[in-house]
Amino acid sequence: MDKEKVLNLAKLARIEVGDDEAENLTREFDAILNYVGEVKSAKVSPLVLDFQGETLINVMREDTNPHESGLYTKKILEQAPAREGDYIKVKRIL
Amino acid sequence: MINLENLTIKKARENLKAKEFSARELTVASLDAIKEKDGDINAFLEVFDDALEQADDVDRKIKDGLDLPLLGIPIAIKDNMLMEGRRATAGSKILEGFISPYDSTVVKKLKDAGAVIIGRTNMDEFAMGSSTESSAYGATKNPHDLSRVPGGSSGGAAAAVAANFILAVLGSDTGGSIRQPAAFCGVVGLKPTYGRVSRSGLIALASSLDQIGPLSKTVTDAEIIYDVLKGQDIMDSTTIFDNTYSIKKKFSQMIGVPREFVESEGVDESVRKNFEEAIKKFESLGYKVKDIKLPHIKYSLSSYYIIMPAEASSNLARFDGVKYGLHKDGKDVIEDYFKTRGEGFGREVRRRIILGAYVLSSGYYDEYYGSALKMKKLIADELDEAFEKIDLILTPTTPTPAFKLGEKMTDPLLMYLADIFTVPANIAGLPSISIPSGLTDSLPLGIELTAGLGREDNLFTAGKEFLGE
């Protein structure tokens, strides 16, 4: 782990991180990754390699019966930091 | 004047039914205790201004002859559960001012059961921590020793019960966040089977691990609340049905102790001694305690600290300063994100999001996240097999008693090791309970019982027998 890498990851995660913090994080990540890295070397039998299909099942519902339009609009918009009418307002993107 | 110290939910319900006191009087006792002592402890982030109105409403229902499992019982919620029209911050500045637009399923169930919901308790920011020191609203102190932490992340919840402010609080447990603070504060804390309690309206940390459960004074009380909370919910597709795990094995008082794991490095001498005493107590109650081998359980913590930050980095992407919560202005929309998230998230949250981004990034995904998922499955299988021969696994809940405030804040890895005994139950989805097992130098210690999938009944049976309930 190095500082450049940490700053790049912070960028990917959309988090502003200062130089000092990046340096601290570099040291901390080295210690944490060194510890959690033990899972890489642990022997895992080939049986469990293909497990996702049998254990994780998506629970779906029919895409029908929507709630009445606008039922929650007011409550949800009240929480938006900026709005214009019934829209959430953000800065220009393009 | 009601003495909350000697009261339990079970007893309070009897008193309320017999009209020995009213729901209002019981609520007033709670509010007075909080007012008098919470200045030093900081267990509550908010006491709701309508608590007495709720209590009066309950008193009318009692008068009408209504009987519900929690009718008139004051209960609090950890600050990561939504209650319509109330603030919820998850202990973070990024949700400062946020008002919940709807009730979480657990809050709905508490209301339906007649509880008086009196406030929000403090927690580590987004439940990331084992000491409640990472809350953006100040640390909570351990009522047994104000220079020590109450544990975390449900530290406010555990402290509120231990300080006799209230009879029970709902917490959430991703890697031990109910059980570890319960042990540090000398109360009971239950993490149900993964999927047993709906997380709809819980602010997510790591969705494959999160589970809601009660902190209370007795196992009986924990069971009363568990019965209210459990159940399949259309709003949380991971919830299980009553018969998802069919009960096959008859309870035969067989306890397994993963000896090698319990004797890990870093386990305090006082904890070892207390643990051996707990084993003797179970034996004197007629239980058979035997050593078992679980060769992969020691990898639970490392798998956890890969899977949890990975899921957290994805879950917390929603906090962007656009839809709700804090907004910090930058020169364009992308800079708004950076500033909002940089200033809104505290240090530990930033650390885990960035770590999560790393273990999920191309080139490291298979090495870290992939390996951790395989290990998770291996550990779950290993534990599943163990429960064919035993009913319960017994370990200490924590490797040490409550540590000093500030002691582990500068070394995240040291803090993470506080979860060593609690994490396996989350990794394998198993129900697990921490029970007070005595004091060392006037600090509480806890033992942890873990049962097979869907076998909360075994936890309640053994837990009640251990505490003499």
Side-chain angles (χ1 to χ4, degrees), chain A residues 75, chain B residues 50 81-87 99-104 107-108 111:
Chain A
K75 267 188 194 161
Chain B
D50 72 340
M81 296 169 204
L82 307 193
M83 177 159 161
E84 190 178 343
R86 291 288 168 193
R87 284 187 283 167
I99 309 282
S100 304
Y102 62 95
D103 275 341
S104 50
V107 161
K108 214 179 286 165
K111 286 179 174 175

Side-chain angles (χ1 to χ4, degrees), chain A residues 21 28 38 75 79 91, chain B residues 84 302 329 336 350-351:
Chain A
E21 187 177 358
E28 289 161 1
E38 67 179 14
K75 267 188 194 161
Q79 297 307 315
K91 291 199 177 83
Chain B
E84 190 178 343
S302 28
D329 229 23
D336 285 4
R350 296 202 295 270
R351 184 185 288 132

